[in-house]
Structure formats: structure tokens, C-alpha cells
Amino acid sequence: MSKLCKCGHKMNIRLRTVIYKNRIEIDNVPIYTCDSCSKSEVFQPVKSELTELISQFGSNPEKKQFFFNETNELAFLLMIASQNEYKHTSVDKILEYRINELLDLLLLARSLQDDRWVEDILKRLSQITLQSLNTYDLT
Ligand SMILES: [Zn+2]
């Protein structure tokens, strides 16, 4: 899962910490980094969600720590994919497992008539399924 940097070298995706206004720490944000020129950019499919999260903090935020993988399924899946035990599992497979797991949870949440939970699960599902599977070209 890499792309070309403007300098011609390969950029690799890593989960990194983003600090906002020296107060807010957002961990596990998928970011492309070039080892050659140190240029970095936020992974495009999570950009709007990260921007939205940051826009909620205002100009004078309180000290806080967020885990991006807790609100964003793509960050969560990238985290899983980077773990050693899943080194030999394709991201497609991990996605498939996760979608099945979320669908099971959705059934459960609906049977409990927990609307907030249902909404949260639907949001997570859309974060995964709205992305083209080409995005997960990790090979
Ligand atoms: Zn570069």
C-alpha cells in the first residue's frame, strides 16, 4: 500500500499521531510518509473525517487524547492489518471478517432496539464499504 512521492521515492502508509494546537493528540491516523524527503500527507479516504473531528475542537481546545481507530473503521483495519499475527492475511479477508462482524452486531443492536448503536454500526459499515477496494492494494 504505497504511492509515489513528488520526489520520486515511495511513500508508505503508517499510523501516526497528529497533534493539534499542542493540546489535542490524535493517535493512529493513517498517513503517507516519504522516507526520502519526509513529506507526509493524510490518507485521502480518512481526510474528511479527520478534518471534521478537528473542526469540533475550536480555536482554544482542552488537552485531550483521541484514538482515531476507535471512530474510523479504516484506521482500525489498518491497525489490525499491521499486527504481526495478521501479516499473512490479506486486507480483503480482514475487511470481510470485519464486515461480517459488524453485520452480526447490527442484528444484535436492532433486536435490542438500540438506535444509537445501530447508527454507529451503520456509520462504520459505510466507512468501509464506500471505499473502493482498490484502496486496499497492500500487496
Ligand atoms: Zn519524497
Side-chain angles (χ1 to χ4, degrees), residues 10 14 23 26 31 33 42 59 81 84 101 116 127 129:
K10 216 168 79 168
R14 297 212 179 88
R23 302 243 180 94
I26 309 167
I31 288 178
T33 315
V42 175
S59 54
N84 254 345
E101 187 178 44
R116 275 189 62 184
Q127 284 170 344
T129 52

Side-chain angles (χ1 to χ4, degrees), residues 13-27:
I13 199 156
R14 297 212 179 88
L15 294 170
R16 299 182 58 173
T17 300
V18 172
I19 311 271
Y20 177 69
K21 294 207 181 267
N22 288 323
R23 302 243 180 94
I24 310 264
E25 190 182 311
I26 309 167
D27 288 329

